[in-house]
Amino acid sequence: KLTKCQGHCKKDDDCDGDLICFKRDGEPVPGCLDNEENVESADWDYCTDFSPLKSVDKDGGGSSKLTKCQGHCKKDDDCDGDLICFKRDGEPVPGCLDNEENVESADWDYCTDFSPLKSVDKDGGGSSKLTKCQG
């Protein structure tokens, strides 16, 4: 099976685990760096962990938590596990593919596992190590 950012896949089953086969027409593969030296063709499809947006549960109502790239959430507690509710005003949801068929509104908020940038420790001068998205 192909791992993240490997290609050429034809279907999701060609990709390892929960990865999806991102079908493209020359555009960059979300979640992967486009290093032209390693890209066979702009038309190749690659495995990625980005998921399409899904409008499944208006306003976070319902008995189950929303999973990655599902919405509409109102707060982090509407999302499963460590996912956060990404508040937006029409911009893309980080870590999710904006599939217009599945999106109710550009103003809906969706659950994602991407963290906002945080300025925590100027110049790394603290005693603890920085975590993902901190600088």
Side-chain angles (χ1 to χ4, degrees):
K1 299 254 181 174
L2 298 170
T3 60
K4 184 176 178 180
C5 301
Q6 286 186 329
H8 178 47
C9 58
K10 295 289 185 188
K11 57 191 182 311
D12 291 347
D13 287 344
D14 294 336
C15 302
D16 192 40
D18 291 334
L19 297 176
I20 63 166
C21 183
F22 179 72
K23 306 289 186 182
R24 68 187 198 136
D25 233 349
E27 69 270 19
V29 178
C32 301
L33 295 176
D34 193 358
N35 180 349
E36 291 182 18
E37 295 173 13
N38 297 324
V39 177
E40 289 293 326
S41 167
D43 294 329
W44 273 33
D45 302 323
Y46 289 82
C47 297
T48 186
D49 58 358
F50 276 52
S51 301
L53 290 177
K54 294 179 186 168
S55 300
V56 293
D57 202 7
K58 188 172 182 176
D59 295 327
S63 59
S64 63
K65 300 270 186 168
L66 299 171
T67 60
K68 183 178 177 182
C69 301
Q70 289 183 335
H72 182 42
C73 59
K74 290 289 186 186
K75 57 192 181 307
D76 292 348
D77 286 344
D78 295 334
C79 303
D80 191 40
D82 291 332
L83 298 175
I84 63 166
C85 182
F86 180 75
K87 307 289 186 179
R88 68 186 194 139
D89 286 315
E91 70 268 20
V93 178
C96 302
L97 299 173
D98 195 351
N99 179 349
E100 291 179 17
E101 295 173 14
N102 296 323
V103 179
E104 289 290 328
S105 167
D107 294 329
W108 273 33
D109 302 324
Y110 290 83
C111 298
T112 185
D113 58 359
F114 274 59
S115 302
L117 292 176
K118 295 177 186 172
S119 298
V120 181
D121 193 8
K122 187 176 180 183
D123 297 326
S127 60
S128 62
K129 298 213 180 227
L130 298 175
T131 60
K132 179 179 176 183
C133 299
Q134 290 183 336

